[in-house]
Amino acid sequence: MGKNNKKLLATLLGALTLIAGCTTSPPSNPDNVCSIFREKKSWYREAKAAEEKWGSPVAVMMAILHQESRYVHDARPPRTKILGFIPGPRPSDAYGYAQALGSTWRGYQRSSFNYGADRDDFGDAIDFVGWYNNTSARRCQIRANDAYHLYLAYHEGHGGFNRRSFKNKAWLKRVSHKVSAKAQRYQQQLNRCEQSLPKRRKFLGLF
């Protein structure tokens, strides 16, 4: 292989590596939603599309994703420990940005007709969170911007929430308060920067 071809190959490989890194790496400043959306060019449009589709605020959906995976695309629950140090099985098959269970994800695919959705795709994951929050609002009578109770329903399931299975789970209530506080901070940040973020392109101006 000639020098020019080697240089071209190295350039292509470098570009592919850079693209892959930008696509799958978590945002560098996950505590600032404006920074997230400026770094991840397509994420705001995908988040806004989910908000318009399901009525769940961008800040609430992003706060839930932050809590579930810290925006790690292939996140999984940590393995259990056998005898305190031997890696054991994972407690569930939760996976991806939204830490969705396989059975719940399949329910989302059927309900939304999004059969090609992947749990490690941000656009699909935030659409899933929007769908789940929309279902929580209907089944559990939770307001769309009530991140505290929406997260409890997200964690416990709709049946569990309605049975108040979280009642004696102080640790879960603390986490839900964290999610609520994160959603409020994200919303405050969005109020300052949203006008400058790239707008979602609509086909013929309609959808």
Side-chain angles (χ1 to χ4, degrees):
M1 185 182 290
K3 284 186 177 180
N4 289 338
N5 287 337
K6 287 182 179 179
K7 287 182 179 179
L8 178 60
L9 180 60
T11 301
L12 289 172
L13 289 173
L16 288 172
T17 300
L18 180 62
I19 291 170
C22 291
T23 301
T24 59
S25 62
S28 56
N29 186 3
D31 292 322
N32 189 307
V33 76
C34 298
S35 174
I36 291 171
F37 287 145
R38 288 180 179 128
E39 180 180 347
K40 303 292 186 180
K41 302 300 184 184
S42 66
W43 282 20
Y44 175 70
R45 288 191 291 268
E46 291 169 327
K48 198 66 180 176
E51 179 185 73
E52 293 172 2
K53 183 177 180 181
W54 301 113
S56 186
V58 168
V60 172
M61 294 185 291
M62 290 294 287
I64 290 174
L65 287 180
H66 177 273
Q67 176 60 40
E68 290 300 284
S69 68
R70 299 299 191 274
Y71 307 114
V72 175
H73 76 288
D74 58 353
R76 298 177 187 271
R79 292 185 180 277
T80 56
K81 297 292 184 181
I82 300 172
L83 301 178
F85 66 95
I86 302 172
R90 299 184 192 277
S92 75
D93 68 348
Y95 177 73
Y97 288 107
Q99 286 296 277
L101 297 172
S103 57
T104 311
W105 189 262
R106 289 188 292 274
Y108 155 72
Q109 288 177 312
R110 289 191 300 270
S111 177
S112 64
F113 300 101
N114 191 8
Y115 290 101
D118 294 316
R119 287 183 284 176
D120 56 6
D121 179 275
F122 176 83
D124 292 334
I126 199 162
D127 192 71
F128 167 83
V129 174
W131 166 81
Y132 200 95
N133 287 349
N134 179 275
T135 308
S136 298
R138 290 185 289 105
R139 293 187 182 178
C140 306
Q141 303 301 305
I142 303 172
R143 289 179 291 107
N145 64 349
D146 184 353
Y148 175 80
H149 288 102
L150 286 171
Y151 187 74
L152 288 175
Y154 192 89
H155 190 276
E156 298 294 276
H158 301 123
F161 180 89
N162 287 333
R163 292 191 303 272
R164 297 299 188 263
S165 60
F166 55 85
K167 185 176 180 181
N168 296 319
K169 296 181 180 178
W171 63 270
L172 177 57
K173 293 177 183 179
R174 286 194 296 271
V175 172
S176 295
H177 279 300
K178 284 176 54 181
V179 173
S180 180
K182 176 69 71 177
Q184 291 176 33
R185 285 195 296 272
Y186 275 173
Q187 187 59 59
Q188 291 167 357
Q189 292 163 355
L190 276 175
N191 290 342
R192 295 192 292 268
C193 76
E194 194 161 18
Q195 289 300 316
S196 66
L197 295 173
K199 301 298 185 292
R200 188 166 73 92
R201 297 183 184 89
K202 295 187 178 182
F203 181 69
L204 298 178
L206 300 174
F207 53 87

